[in-house]
Amino acid sequence: MLQCTCTQAGIATAEKEPLCTQPDEIGLVPIEEDPLIGETPQGTLQSWLTPNPLFYVRNHYSFPTPEETASWKLVIDGNVSNQLELSLDDFRQYPKQTLPITMECAGNNRSDLQPRVPGNPFQNGAISTAIWGGVPLYEILAKVGIKSGSIEVLFEGMDGGEPVPGVAKEQYLRSLTLDMANNPNVLLAYEMNGEPLSLEHGYPLRLVVPGWYGMASVKWLKRISLITVKHRSFFQGERYFIEEDDGTETPVEDIQVKSLISWPQDGGALVQQSHNVSGLAWSGSGHINRVQVSSDGGDTWEDAKLVGPRYEFAWQQWNYSWTPASEGHYTIVARAEDEQGNLQPMETRWNKFGYVINGVKPVCVNVS
Ligand SMILES: Nc1nc2c(c(=O)[nH]1)N[C@H]1C(S)=C(S)[C@@H](COP(=O)(O)O)O[C@H]1N2
Ligand SMILES: [Mo]
C-alpha cells in the first residue's frame, strides 16, 4: 500500500467540486525565466485541450526574437538530390492535417523522484494537449529525392548555446530514423488549436512527434538534413537516455503509460457524500483501455469510466464515482493500462536525470 506524504496539519478546508472545467487564469507555473520554462497549472489539468497560453513551455536556450523569424525559410538538405527551401506560405499550400496530440516532457513529475535529482523540478504540469495543424513530414521528404545511404533525418532549431555551462555551444538538434520520420502521423506544425504557433511554442514551424516525449518535437525548425551516420549531440547522447543496471543506455523515446488525478487535489478536505474523482490517462503506445482507482492506497481497485474524446495520441479523460464508507483519511490512487497491455507501475524506476516518472501518485484527502 502507498503511504500518504501529506501531514494532517497540511489539510485544507472543504473543497468545492468543480462544476465545469474552467482553466485557471493565473498563467503558467514559473520554473525558469531564461530559458523560459513553465508548467501547466493544476487547475487546467482537467481540461482535455490545454488553452494555448497555459500549454507548458520547456526551452533549453533563449528563444528566437520576432526579427530573427521574419525572414524565415526552412532548408531541407543533406543526402538528397533536390535540396529545398520552403517558406511558411509554401507549407500552407499543402492540405492541412490536424491531429490532437498530448505532449509530455520527459522530466514531468521530476520533483516526485526520491532521492531527488538535479533538473527542472516539475510537478505534474509538464504535459499538455493541443490539436496540432500542419503538413505530414513524409510529404515533404517525398519531394527531396532521398539518396541511398540515408539512415536518419536531423532536425535543427534556430536556438542554441552552451547546453550546460562549459560545454561547447551547439544548436538544439535531434534526429529520427528514416522509418520514424516517414510515419504519417509525424507533423511539421504551424498551428496549435487553430491559431498560428506562438513564438514560445516554435513559430514559425515545429516538428511534432506523436507518442514520444517532448524533446523530439523540435521547435523553431530551420534545417532538416538527411544524414548517413547516426546523429549524436548533447541532447541526443548526453541526455535523454536511461542508464540500465548493466551499463547500457536506453534512449528516452515513447511516452510510458501514466495517469493523473485532476480532482480532488492532494490535501483536500471532503464531506462524506458521493464524489466524482476525475483525471486523465495517456500512453505513447496507443489508446488507454482501462483506468482503475483505489481509495486505500492500492490495496483494492475499481474500474473508472472512460469519458470524452478518444484518440490514439491524446490523453483520455476518466471519472469514478466514489462514496467514502466513513470519515477518515484516504489515499486515492489511479493507474492506467494501454491497449498494448502496458500497466502504469506503482513505482517509478529511479534514474539520475529524472526521466519517465510514471509511477502512481497518491492524492490524500480527509473525509469528515
Ligand atoms: N528548438 C528546440 N526545440 C525543443 C526544445 C528546445 O529547447 N529547443 N525543447 C524540447 C523539449 S525538452 C520539450 S518537452 C518540448 C516542449 O514543447 P513546448 O515548449 O511547446 O511545450 O519542446 C522540445 N523542442
Ligand atoms: Mo522536455
Side-chain angles (χ1 to χ4, degrees):
M1 171 179 164
L2 280 178
Q3 290 303 317
C4 242
T5 50
C6 67
T7 57
Q8 296 280 335
I11 285 184
T13 49
E15 272 182 53
K16 277 210 187 90
E17 217 157 327
L19 293 172
C20 55
T21 56
Q22 289 293 337
D24 275 0
E25 282 172 13
I26 54 167
L28 290 178
V29 180
I31 303 277
E32 219 173 295
E33 234 167 76
D34 191 12
L36 183 68
I37 304 171
E39 63 180 290
T40 300
Q42 171 71 35
T44 305
L45 294 174
Q46 53 190 339
S47 171
W48 187 67
L49 284 181
T50 313
N52 288 354
L54 297 177
F55 198 104
Y56 83 94
V57 176
R58 196 318 182 202
N59 295 341
H60 292 85
Y61 306 112
S62 304
F63 57 95
T65 62
E67 295 72 48
E68 286 167 325
T69 61
S71 56
W72 178 88
K73 285 212 165 162
L74 177 76
V75 175
I76 307 161
D77 64 4
N79 198 38
V80 299
S81 51
N82 181 29
Q83 184 167 324
L84 285 182
E85 229 184 79
L86 300 173
S87 69
L88 196 49
D89 271 346
D90 293 332
F91 280 97
R92 291 208 186 92
Q93 301 306 313
Y94 285 82
K96 182 166 72 183
Q97 166 141 340
T98 55
L99 198 58
I101 297 166
T102 295
M103 193 178 291
E104 182 181 23
C105 181
N108 191 25
N109 285 97
R110 185 179 284 121
S111 66
D112 296 332
L113 205 59
Q114 288 297 337
R116 296 293 290 263
V117 293
N120 298 295
F122 289 121
Q123 298 178 50
N124 59 355
I127 182 163
S128 300
T129 299
I131 297 176
W132 301 90
V135 183
L137 172 64
Y138 79 92
E139 287 194 31
I140 305 296
L141 293 179
K143 305 265 189 248
V144 295
I146 298 177
K147 291 207 238 169
S148 71
S150 304
I151 61 165
E152 289 192 348
V153 184
L154 180 62
F155 303 88
E156 181 176 346
M158 297 171 71
D159 54 329
E162 292 185 352
V164 292
V167 169
K169 280 189 182 177
E170 59 182 51
Q171 296 301 112
Y172 188 80
L173 288 162
R174 292 277 314 181
S175 74
L176 294 176
T177 62
L178 199 48
D179 239 25
M180 188 62 192
N182 275 312
N183 180 313
N185 295 311
V186 174
L187 288 186
L188 293 170
Y190 53 80
E191 263 185 24
M192 201 175 162
N193 294 326
E195 289 174 16
L197 284 186
S198 62
L199 208 48
E200 59 267 39
H201 291 294
Y203 176 86
L205 190 77
R206 77 177 298 172
L207 186 66
V208 180
V209 182
W212 281 35
Y213 286 105
M215 76 279 137
S217 295
V218 178
K219 303 193 272 190
W220 313 289
L221 272 179
K222 75 166 183 194
R223 181 183 300 269
I224 298 178
S225 304
L226 276 292
I227 57 174
T228 54
V229 289
K230 276 181 115 176
H231 166 73
R232 203 186 154 94
S233 59
F234 190 83
F235 292 118
Q236 191 168 329
E238 302 299 316
R239 290 291 184 279
Y240 298 117
F241 65 83
I242 288 180
E243 212 172 49
E244 304 294 344
D245 295 338
D246 64 5
T248 57
E249 295 173 356
T250 305
V252 169
E253 292 176 345
D254 34 331
I255 297 176
Q256 300 297 299
V257 64
K258 184 168 168 182
S259 60
L260 68 80
I261 295 173
S262 305
W263 196 91
Q265 296 199 6
D266 194 34
L270 309 183
V271 292
Q272 198 201 335
Q273 61 172 50
S274 161
H275 292 287
N276 188 32
V277 177
S278 64
L280 295 155
W282 61 95
S283 164
S285 303
H287 295 87
I288 291 297
N289 266 7
R290 191 179 194 190
V291 175
Q292 295 170 294
V293 175
S294 166
S295 59
D296 54 16
D299 283 350
T300 59
W301 299 88
E302 301 266 0
D303 280 343
K305 208 160 83 185
L306 306 184
V307 294
R310 191 162 169 77
Y311 285 95
E312 186 177 355
F313 300 112
W315 53 16
Q316 173 73 54
Q317 290 180 297
W318 56 265
N319 60 42
Y320 171 69
S321 176
W322 178 53
T323 309
S326 60
E327 297 185 349
H329 195 67
Y330 289 86
T331 305
I332 305 174
V333 290
R335 70 176 179 197
E337 190 177 337
D338 67 24
E339 64 184 332
Q340 307 279 339
N342 300 304
L343 182 65
Q344 182 180 2
M346 290 302 282
E347 268 189 57
T348 293
R349 185 157 64 125
W350 187 93
N351 62 98
K352 64 181 176 187
F353 294 124
Y355 299 134
V356 193
I357 322 290
N358 71 329
V360 306
K361 184 174 162 75
V363 160
C364 307
V365 296
N366 242 14
V367 174
S368 56

